[in-house]
Amino acid sequence: MNLKSLFYLHRSDRKVILVLLLFITGCLGLIIFVGNQTAETSGTKTDSVISQKPASFSGKGQLPEVETEEGKHLFPFDPNTATAEQLQQLGLSPFQVRNIIKYRSKGGVYRSPMDFARLYGLTRKQYRELEPYITIGDDYEPASTLASVQAYIARKEADKQAAHEAYEAYKEKNTYKPYKEYDRDTIRYPLKMKVGEHVNLASADTTQLKKVPGIGSGWARAIVNYGKRLGGYVAVGQLQEIDGFPEEALPYFSITNPHTEKINLNTATIAQLRKHPYMNFYQARAVSDYRRLKGKLTSLSQLRLLKDFTPEAIERLRPYVEF
C-alpha cells in the first residue's frame, strides 16, 4: 500500500467534506458579523445617551450625576424623551417604565415636573429624589408660550381695547336719539291682540294670525294650510280639528263673510273627493258608486241612504259641496 492510496477518497466523500467545510466557514463568518453589529449598536446607544444629556439640561442648571446607595443612577432627564434603559437606571420599576412609554405612545406629554408626579405607583420619596433632575425640553412647552404667539395675543387685546375706547368716545359725542315707536321689532315679534279684539278667520293671513296670543309662526301656517284643505273656514270651532291647537286662542277669532270653495259631487273623482278633510276613501267611493248606478246627485239628502254618511257628516259637508 502506497501513501497515495492511504489518503484516497471517493468522489461522494469529497463532496461531503466540501459541504462541511463551507458550512463551518459560513458559521464563523456569521458569528463575526453579529459580533460587529452588537458592538456598533452598543456604541450607538452610548452615543445617544451622551447626546441626550446636554439637551435635557436646558430647563435647569446642570446637576452632577449621583450614584445612590441603593444603586440608583441619578442624572438630568426629560421624561418625554428618556429611554426605557435610562428610566430604569433612575430607579423606576419596570411597570412604571411601561406606563411612561404607553402614555407617550398615546400622545401624552409631560409639560412640567408636576405632570410626572402623577405617574401611577410613584412614591413621594421617589419624586423628591427625581424632581431636581426633571427637565422639560423647549419643544414640549405649550405653543401659547411662544413669543410670537404672545405678541399676537397682545395685539388682539390692544385692538379690542382700542375699539372699546373708540365706542365710548363716540357715545360721549353722540347726541342723536333714534326714533322707536315700540320697544321691540314689531315685524319679528308682532304686538299681540288684547282681550275683546278679534281677527277674521275667513280672510286672515299668517301676519294677522301671529298677533293672536298663543299663535306663532308654526300655528299660523297650520291654520292657513288647514283652511286651504277645507276650502275656507265657516266656524271658529273648526280650529279644534287641528291636532294640539291651543284652545285658549279661540276667543280671539271670529268669522265674517265666509267664502268657501265647493266640490262638485257629480264631476269630482275619487282622488279629488278624498282630499277633503271631511270625506274619507269609503265615502268618496260610495259617492262614485251612487253616481254610476243611479245617476247624478241633486241634493245631499240622497246620501242619507248610504251607510257611510251619517247626518253629522252630511251637515259638515254642506258648505263645501255643489251639484
Side-chain angles (χ1 to χ4, degrees):
M1 175 182 293
N2 53 18
L3 186 62
K4 183 177 180 181
S5 63
L6 181 62
F7 291 97
Y8 176 75
L9 296 175
H10 292 286
R11 185 177 182 181
S12 60
D13 296 335
R14 290 199 301 270
K15 288 183 179 180
V16 172
I17 293 173
L18 181 60
V19 171
L20 288 175
L21 290 174
L22 292 175
F23 178 74
I24 293 171
T25 304
C27 290
L28 290 175
L30 181 62
I31 292 172
I32 295 172
F33 177 76
V34 172
N36 292 334
Q37 289 294 324
T38 304
E40 291 176 1
T41 304
S42 61
T44 303
K45 289 184 177 178
T46 304
D47 295 340
S48 65
V49 171
I50 294 172
S51 63
Q52 286 177 2
K53 285 182 180 179
S56 64
F57 299 157
S58 59
K60 298 182 178 180
Q62 184 172 356
L63 297 176
E65 298 185 5
V66 177
E67 193 79 28
T68 64
E69 296 178 357
E70 295 86 356
K72 300 177 183 178
H73 184 201
L74 301 179
F75 54 87
F77 72 98
D78 187 345
N80 294 301
T81 58
T83 64
E85 182 180 355
Q86 291 175 319
L87 294 173
Q88 288 180 350
Q89 292 177 3
L90 292 168
L92 296 175
S93 60
F95 83 91
Q96 291 174 326
V97 175
R98 286 196 301 270
N99 288 340
I100 294 173
I101 301 300
K102 186 177 180 180
Y103 176 73
R104 295 188 326 206
S105 66
K106 291 186 176 180
V109 176
Y110 296 100
R111 303 187 186 279
S112 67
M114 284 66 74
D115 290 341
F116 187 75
R118 295 183 297 177
L119 175 63
Y120 178 75
L122 188 68
T123 63
R124 292 186 177 183
K125 180 181 178 182
Q126 287 178 306
Y127 180 70
R128 292 193 187 101
E129 291 178 347
L130 297 176
E131 194 275 335
Y133 297 93
I134 299 175
T135 59
I136 306 298
D138 182 68
D139 292 340
Y140 296 95
E141 294 292 334
S144 59
T145 59
L146 289 172
S148 59
V149 178
Q150 291 291 330
Y152 173 78
I153 295 174
R155 288 197 304 270
K156 295 293 290 184
E157 290 295 330
D159 293 343
K160 184 178 179 181
Q161 182 63 27
H164 178 71
E165 293 175 356
Y167 173 67
E168 292 295 333
Y170 169 78
K171 284 202 306 182
E172 293 179 359
K173 297 179 181 179
N174 183 33
T175 59
Y176 180 78
K177 295 182 179 180
Y179 170 74
K180 289 186 178 180
E181 184 178 0
Y182 303 104
D183 294 335
R184 61 178 180 177
D185 187 348
T186 57
I187 296 178
R188 295 179 59 189
Y189 308 102
L191 296 174
K192 296 296 183 179
M193 301 171 62
K194 298 179 180 179
V195 176
E197 296 180 343
H198 299 86
V199 60
N200 185 9
L201 188 59
S203 58
D205 56 13
T206 55
T207 302
Q208 295 171 318
L209 292 172
K210 285 191 291 186
K211 295 181 180 180
V212 177
I215 302 299
S217 298
W219 282 120
R221 288 193 298 269
I223 293 171
V224 172
N225 291 337
Y226 188 66
K228 291 179 179 178
R229 290 181 59 199
L230 286 172
Y233 289 100
V234 295
V236 175
Q238 288 178 300
L239 294 175
Q240 294 175 284
E241 297 168 1
I242 303 174
D243 291 338
F245 186 82
E247 297 184 0
E248 295 81 0
L250 292 175
Y252 296 92
F253 293 97
S254 64
I255 298 291
T256 303
N257 300 324
H259 174 74
T260 60
E261 296 180 5
K262 300 182 182 295
I263 303 173
N264 193 318
L265 293 182
N266 290 315
T267 59
T269 63
I270 294 179
Q272 293 172 333
L273 291 172
R274 62 177 299 189
K275 285 183 180 179
H276 197 278
Y278 292 163
M279 189 172 296
N280 57 36
F281 170 76
Y282 299 102
Q283 291 173 328
R285 188 176 62 179
V287 171
S288 178
D289 292 342
Y290 186 92
R291 294 184 317 206
R292 179 170 53 83
L293 297 174
K294 298 186 178 181
K296 294 184 178 181
L297 291 164
T298 57
S299 67
L300 283 175
S301 59
Q302 295 172 279
L303 299 179
R304 297 181 184 274
L305 301 176
L306 305 177
K307 63 178 181 178
D308 295 305
F309 287 91
T310 62
E312 294 79 7
I314 292 174
E315 291 303 318
R316 282 197 301 268
L317 282 172
R318 191 175 297 279
Y320 303 102
V321 297
E322 63 182 5
F323 306 97

